[in-house]
Amino acid sequence: THSRDALQNVILPDLTSIIVLKGDAVEDHWVEGVRLTNLALRDARGRAIQMTGTRDCAVTACDLRNAEVGVTLGDDTHGCRIAGCDITQTQGDGISILGTSTDHERVTDHVVDNCVIWDIGWGRIHNRCGGVYMHRCARVKLTHNHVHDTPRYALAMDVGNDCEFAYNYCHHANQVTADTSIIEAATALDWGLSVDQQRERHQPHNWGNTVHHNLVHDSGGWGTDQATGELVSPYYSWGIYLDLDCCGWTVHDNVCYNTVMGGFMLNGGTDNLVENNIFVDGAKQQIQWNPWKGYVMHNNRCERNVFAYTSPANLYALNSFEDSFVQFADNVIWADGARPVIQGVAKLPRNKS
């Protein structure tokens, strides 16, 4: 039981950040080799831990809560590790990894491993935040994390290359947003360029990312039903969503179940491989391939996956489909005894593959 006085206590944070590690990359004055471990840090108006101009620093086994963000790795940070931390009750992201350079080489080689991140994003009006969110970075690894009960995605990235999302357990995301997913990526920060300029950047700067061996379920979503005008949940969400115009991704050996719009969605893009995944019980469909006006979509492959679901859900949603968009091969399909239905191609002849 709690005393009356204890229940009436209110904490008003005064600190902007609790720990700031700030080097100067331009002058080659780095903060290096700092280890923050077994700390309970809470009650800050800003980021609990913030780093810029740092190399080979670590945050391990810390409890971080009631701050704007648990840990922020900003510009000119390289090779830092966040591991074994509990992060909750943040205003925004649990962990932010944020660069500014268009070649993504100012934020590189970080690892976020074995962290538990939940119940975050209390203070963002638009709630566009995640357990771990990153942009303009390279060779970052998000591994063995448990992320749940987030306002939007669990793990997300806007533009980056050679990053890895692996062995994470993520569920019950998107509690107050829609048109989103549990694991999400996009090249949104390049949308200010022409399409031709964006595509020139893709292979050197937005390529080589992997999503593998993750368990994701209950994609959530919260929005207005177009037919009734009522707010509903779950709503308009996927398991893994590669938004416009992701290219050169490999999505393999994941298990996705209990999603709304499907276990996987590609919104434009080329040269993506989706293989050896298990997709179960997407309410609308199991996987979706969606072209986007003005963007190229070709050389995508969907191979050796297992799809299991019940009617009336669709197997695939293939909007304005052309054979060059994606090649299907060697997938195992179980529709609970019903004939699989493919949205968008009902009147087109299909070959055996």
Side-chain angles (χ1 to χ4, degrees), residues 145-223:
N145 300 292
H146 183 189
V147 184
H148 63 93
D149 291 284
T150 55
R152 199 164 172 84
Y153 20 64
L155 307 173
M157 180 175 73
D158 277 318
V159 297
N161 60 278
D162 302 294
C163 294
E164 182 178 11
F165 302 70
Y167 302 100
N168 300 289
Y169 176 36
C170 303
H171 59 94
H172 293 92
N174 309 302
Q175 298 293 292
V176 293
T177 57
D179 192 8
T180 177
S181 67
I182 300 174
I183 297 177
E184 184 169 343
T187 59
L189 293 182
D190 284 338
W191 285 358
L193 304 174
S194 70
V195 173
D196 288 342
Q197 288 175 314
Q198 290 179 47
R199 297 205 59 80
E200 287 177 4
R201 282 183 41 74
H202 278 346
Q203 192 143 358
H205 302 304
N206 297 322
W207 208 272
N209 301 293
T210 58
V211 181
H212 67 88
H213 293 96
N214 300 284
L215 173 60
V216 303
H217 65 85
D218 291 281
S219 58
W222 187 76

Side-chain angles (χ1 to χ4, degrees), residues 20-220:
V20 176
L21 305 181
K22 185 177 181 181
D24 189 335
V26 175
E27 297 295 330
D28 198 29
H29 297 157
W30 297 85
V31 175
E32 298 182 273
V34 175
R35 301 290 184 264
L36 305 173
T37 189
N38 290 306
L39 301 174
L41 305 178
R42 56 196 66 186
D43 304 328
R45 293 179 180 270
R47 294 84 180 256
I49 299 172
Q50 180 169 346
M51 301 188 199
T52 55
T54 61
R55 296 190 297 209
D56 188 32
C57 293
V59 180
T60 61
C62 290
D63 183 293
L64 310 172
R65 60 187 68 201
N66 196 19
E68 180 186 16
V69 176
V71 182
T72 297
L73 302 177
D75 255 345
D76 301 310
T77 57
H78 304 280
C80 296
R81 180 178 179 84
I82 305 170
C85 293
D86 290 348
I87 302 174
T88 188
Q89 298 170 13
T90 59
Q91 178 186 3
D93 302 325
I95 296 170
S96 300
I97 302 174
L98 308 176
T100 60
S101 64
T102 56
D103 64 1
H104 310 155
E105 288 299 322
R106 289 177 63 172
V107 176
T108 68
D109 303 296
H110 298 309
V111 174
V112 179
D113 182 70
N114 197 34
C115 292
V116 180
I117 304 171
W118 78 101
D119 196 17
I120 61 161
W122 286 13
R124 289 282 190 260
I125 293 174
H126 53 65
N127 294 111
R128 192 179 180 88
C129 50
V132 182
Y133 173 74
M134 52 189 180
H135 74 242
R136 296 206 186 282
C137 55
R139 301 179 299 280
V140 175
K141 296 184 178 183
L142 310 182
T143 55
H144 307 105
N145 300 292
H146 183 189
V147 184
H148 63 93
D149 291 284
T150 55
R152 199 164 172 84
Y153 20 64
L155 307 173
M157 180 175 73
D158 277 318
V159 297
N161 60 278
D162 302 294
C163 294
E164 182 178 11
F165 302 70
Y167 302 100
N168 300 289
Y169 176 36
C170 303
H171 59 94
H172 293 92
N174 309 302
Q175 298 293 292
V176 293
T177 57
D179 192 8
T180 177
S181 67
I182 300 174
I183 297 177
E184 184 169 343
T187 59
L189 293 182
D190 284 338
W191 285 358
L193 304 174
S194 70
V195 173
D196 288 342
Q197 288 175 314
Q198 290 179 47
R199 297 205 59 80
E200 287 177 4
R201 282 183 41 74
H202 278 346
Q203 192 143 358
H205 302 304
N206 297 322
W207 208 272
N209 301 293
T210 58
V211 181
H212 67 88
H213 293 96
N214 300 284
L215 173 60
V216 303
H217 65 85
D218 291 281
S219 58

Side-chain angles (χ1 to χ4, degrees), residues 231-252:
L231 289 170
V232 295
S233 181
Y235 177 78
Y236 209 75
S237 61
W238 291 267
I240 299 169
Y241 180 13
L242 302 185
D243 202 353
L244 192 71
D245 166 44
C246 286
C247 299
W249 284 70
T250 301
V251 178
H252 69 89

